[in-house]
Amino acid sequence: DAGITQSPRYKITETGRQVTLMCHQTWSHSYMFWYRQDLGHGLRLIYYSAAADITDKGEVPDGYVVSRSKTENFPLTLESATRSQTSVYFCASSEDSYNEQFFGPGTRLTVL
Amino acid sequence: ILNVEQSPQSLHVQEGDSTNFTCSFPSSNFYALHWYRWETAKSPEALFVMTLNGDEKKKGRISATLNTKEGYSYLYIKGSQPEDSATYLCAFSDSWGKLQFGAGTQVVVTP
C-alpha cells in the first residue's frame, strides 16, 4: 500500500522491556520524524532523520533510539520502557525540510 | 525550546458562522509555519506551509495569513460546517524541517 504506515497500531508492554515501533513510507521521502502526543504538550518531536544514516535528536529524545539504514524505514526503539513513555506515537515524512509532513496512523503504546 | 502558542484553546461555532484563531511564534530566525488539521481518532493532515511575510493561503473555505515580523498567523474558516470540527495545529519549522507544535485550537461546529 502506498503511503506511510506504522506497526503495531497498539502495544501493551511492561516497564523495563525493549519495544520497537516501526514506520514505513513508500514515497522515498528524504525526511522522517517521530513525534509523541502528550496531554498539555500536543505533539513533541522525539527524533528526526534527513536521509538514510542521518539522524538527530528532537525535543524529547531521552530513552529512545532510532536508526535509518534504508530510506523507507525509520524504527523507534524504547530501550527500557517506562510508564512515562505511555503515549501515542506518530511517524511522519516529508520530501524536503520545507514541505508539509505526512503523518502515519499512530501507535498507541501503554507501558504498565 | 521555542514558544508556539495558540489561542483560544477551544471554540464553539454555529454552523454557517465564520471564525478565526491565532498562532503566535518567535519572530526571529523564522523559516516556515505549518498549519495542520487533526480530527479525532485520525492523524494530522497538512493544510498550509507558509514561508513569506504577508503570505496568504487558501484551501476551500479555510484560509491563513502570516506576519513574520510580529510573529503571528491567523487561520480563518468561512461559513463553518460540522465537518470542520477538528483540532487545528500550527507548528514553527526550523531549516531542518523540525516542527515545534502549539497545543492546538479545538473547533466544534454545531448544527
Side-chain angles (χ1 to χ4, degrees):
Chain A
D1 290 334
I4 183 165
T5 56
Q6 293 182 236
S7 61
R9 294 293 313 280
Y10 303 90
K11 177 75 177 177
I12 300 174
T13 191
E14 294 177 338
T15 302
R17 290 193 181 260
Q18 184 179 82
V19 177
T20 296
L21 309 184
M22 304 300 293
C23 179
H24 174 79
Q25 51 102 357
T26 60
W27 295 304
S28 298
H29 284 170
S30 295
Y31 287 77
M32 295 187 76
F33 309 85
W34 274 106
Y35 297 92
R36 56 179 286 171
Q37 177 190 3
D38 296 312
L39 278 173
H41 291 282
L43 288 172
R44 292 193 290 177
L45 181 67
I46 305 170
Y47 268 96
Y48 83 104
S49 170
D53 297 322
I54 300 176
T55 62
D56 202 0
K57 296 176 182 178
E59 189 182 345
V60 288
D62 293 343
Y64 302 95
V65 174
V66 293
S67 62
R68 193 155 175 222
S69 56
K70 291 184 179 181
T71 299
E72 61 266 29
N73 296 325
F74 191 37
L76 176 75
T77 297
L78 288 67
E79 295 184 293
S80 178
T82 65
R83 289 202 181 97
S84 66
Q85 292 177 310
T86 292
S87 187
V88 180
Y89 291 83
F90 287 95
C91 178
S93 72
S94 67
E95 193 173 0
D96 284 299
S97 63
Y98 46 85
N99 286 122
E100 62 190 327
Q101 293 184 14
F102 293 89
F103 284 78
T107 293
R108 183 175 294 275
L109 176 68
T110 302
V111 183
L112 302 176
Chain B
I1 296 175
L2 305 170
N3 231 9
V4 179
E5 296 183 353
Q6 292 188 245
S7 63
Q9 223 173 355
S10 66
L11 58 91
H12 286 73
V13 188
Q14 282 290 120
E15 182 177 355
D17 287 350
S18 296
T19 188
N20 66 84
F21 36 94
T22 310
C23 172
S24 62
F25 52 87
S27 55
S28 58
N29 299 317
F30 177 83
Y31 188 73
L33 189 84
H34 293 223
W35 279 101
Y36 290 84
R37 182 172 178 276
W38 194 1
E39 290 182 71
T40 303
K42 293 189 177 180
S43 306
E45 289 184 353
L47 287 171
F48 308 113
V49 179
M50 308 176 80
T51 56
L52 299 175
N53 185 43
D55 232 357
E56 290 188 23
K57 300 257 184 176
K58 188 175 179 183
K59 184 181 282 191
R61 293 177 293 96
I62 301 177
S63 61
T65 60
L66 178 68
N67 184 322
T68 60
K69 294 186 192 301
E70 296 182 39
Y72 66 83
S73 176
Y74 292 128
L75 193 86
Y76 300 87
I77 304 176
K78 185 178 176 183
S80 303
Q81 299 296 309
E83 57 264 31
D84 295 327
S85 295
T87 296
Y88 292 82
L89 301 172
C90 71
F92 182 93
S93 173
D94 70 8
S95 59
W96 289 96
K98 291 190 289 182
L99 298 182
Q100 176 101 26
F101 280 90
T105 293
Q106 184 184 27
V107 174
V108 177
V109 182
T110 49

